Amino acid sequence: MALMITDECINCDVCEPECPNEAISPGDEIYEIDPNKCTECVGHYDTPQCVEVCPVDCIPKDPDHAETQDQLMIKYKNLTGN
C-alpha cells in the first residue's frame, strides 16, 4: 500500500529528502506522494523513512492504493532495476 500525506502536513520539508524513490514532492499546498513510486521503503529500509521523520504524524497508508509486501517489492525492483 502506498502512503499518502494528509492536510495536517506543515510543509516542514523533512520527508522529501528521506524518500529513496523520490516519490515525495511539493504539491500546491502540501507535499504529495506519487503512489507509482512509493514502496513504503520496501527494498531500502525496514520502515517508511518519511513516517519516521514526520513531526506531525500525517503520513498514513493510502487506502486507494492497497498493495501487498510482494507487490511493493516488485515495484521496488522495477524502479531500481534490481
Side-chain angles (χ1 to χ4, degrees):
M1 183 174 292
L3 302 173
M4 61 183 280
I5 298 176
T6 68
D7 59 5
E8 295 168 356
C9 174
I10 59 172
N11 290 309
C12 65
D13 303 322
V14 299
C15 62
E16 183 183 20
E18 295 300 319
C19 181
N21 295 323
E22 298 180 352
I24 301 173
S25 61
D28 291 335
E29 296 183 25
I30 60 173
Y31 277 85
E32 298 175 347
I33 296 178
D34 180 346
N36 296 314
K37 292 182 176 181
C38 178
T39 63
E40 295 183 41
C41 290
V42 168
H44 294 283
Y45 302 103
D46 292 334
T47 59
Q49 297 302 288
C50 59
V51 174
E52 294 290 323
V53 299
C54 180
V56 292
D57 211 20
C58 68
I59 309 176
K61 293 183 182 240
D62 185 346
D64 292 335
H65 295 96
E67 295 169 292
T68 66
Q69 288 293 109
D70 289 339
Q71 289 171 314
L72 291 169
M73 181 56 79
I74 290 168
K75 187 192 299 185
Y76 160 77
K77 289 178 180 179
N78 288 337
L79 288 169
T80 63
N82 290 331

